[in-house]
Amino acid sequence: PFWHDWLYADPSQFLTLEALHYWHHQFWDHDMQWCKHALGAGELDFQFSVLLPITGFHHFNQGMTKLKQVGGCTQRDAQ
């Protein structure tokens, strides 16, 4: 990568688990809810249901708005 000779520029040093955890929750708690209110639950579910399945990721064929409990892998796959 281009930063290999920069001192203290290794992403594994400054992207800590706490920051990544916060950004995942920021996406789900705020950004996803904003999209739900802006587009409507039906349209958002439809958009997620028509995405092509990708190996290694969850395919939300029933949509996103009906999920009651969301774990880290589900948040990652939605992003």
Side-chain angles (χ1 to χ4, degrees):
F2 66 90
W3 65 80
H4 68 85
D5 58 347
W6 295 357
L7 190 60
Y8 305 118
D10 183 15
S12 65
Q13 298 295 321
F14 62 83
L15 288 178
T16 63
L17 293 177
E18 183 178 332
L20 293 174
H21 178 78
Y22 170 78
W23 291 326
H24 281 291
H25 279 282
Q26 169 70 21
F27 170 79
W28 185 259
D29 293 341
H30 300 285
D31 300 344
M32 188 66 151
Q33 299 306 316
W34 182 87
C35 289
K36 181 179 170 182
H37 291 294
L39 293 174
E43 179 65 21
L44 188 61
D45 284 341
F46 173 74
Q47 293 297 327
F48 269 97
S49 69
V50 297
L51 290 173
L52 294 174
I54 299 174
T55 303
F57 288 95
H58 182 81
H59 180 65
F60 301 98
N61 54 357
Q62 299 297 319
M64 294 290 296
T65 60
K66 296 174 185 68
L67 296 176
K68 299 295 181 196
Q69 186 175 4
V70 180
C73 292
T74 305
Q75 287 180 351
R76 180 204 64 205
D77 294 346
Q79 292 175 9

